Amino acid sequence: HPYIYKITFATANESSALVIRPFSEKGTLKDLIYKAKPKDPFLKKYCNPKKIQGLELQQIKTYGRQILEVLKYLHEKGFPYGHLHSANVMLDGDTCKLLDLENSLLGLPSFYRSYFSQFRKIN
């Protein structure tokens, strides 16, 4: 799918997994929002709330549509994706591409599990 970030190499055994993707100079959607450089340390990138900027309306429309299209595609294929957040959306030019699709295959809990597990009526 054009909105899924490619994997260069992947391997797994009984106790671990390794996935390698190409480095992106633009970084993730989170990097764009925080005006951060991908190679900077985490605390320098994301712990200064004064650097946070919003997105242009056209960016929101474009990125939102791309994300919804790939989520629809995954849903139609019966593939669960519970790890959607700005750090798992890679920017490739003016295109968003999802990362970490392998998390559900590896049995990792959803990013939002702690939020919706508190609701007993949700199955």
Side-chain angles (χ1 to χ4, degrees):
H1 194 279
Y3 302 137
I4 296 175
Y5 202 65
K6 67 181 179 178
I7 293 174
T8 304
F9 176 79
T11 187
N13 61 28
E14 301 82 26
S15 61
S16 63
L18 171 69
V19 176
I20 298 175
R21 293 182 182 83
F23 179 76
S24 172
E25 291 290 335
K26 251 189 148 177
T28 64
L29 184 56
K30 187 172 185 173
D31 292 331
L32 176 65
I33 292 168
Y34 280 81
K35 293 195 280 189
K37 296 177 183 152
K39 288 186 177 182
D40 286 345
F42 182 88
L43 291 176
K44 182 179 179 187
K45 290 198 305 186
Y46 305 130
C47 291
N48 185 358
K50 293 178 183 176
K51 287 178 62 176
I52 297 173
Q53 71 176 19
L55 299 175
E56 302 279 331
L57 181 59
Q58 188 56 46
Q59 287 176 305
I60 294 168
K61 289 178 179 180
T62 302
Y63 297 158
R65 179 177 178 94
Q66 293 170 356
I67 291 167
L68 289 172
E69 283 184 26
V70 71
L71 290 175
K72 181 180 181 227
Y73 170 81
L74 293 171
H75 181 73
E76 288 171 353
K77 301 296 180 193
F79 193 91
Y81 186 73
H83 297 270
L84 181 61
H85 53 87
S86 59
N88 274 349
V89 178
M90 186 67 72
L91 297 176
D92 187 10
D94 287 332
T95 305
C96 282
K97 298 188 177 194
L98 289 189
L99 299 169
D100 293 346
L101 272 70
E102 67 279 353
N103 286 352
S104 62
L105 297 173
L106 298 171
L108 297 172
S110 166
F111 179 77
Y112 298 105
R113 184 181 188 286
S114 61
Y115 298 108
F116 57 73
S117 63
Q118 62 186 323
F119 300 108
R120 293 182 184 175
K121 293 182 180 180
I122 295 176
N123 294 323

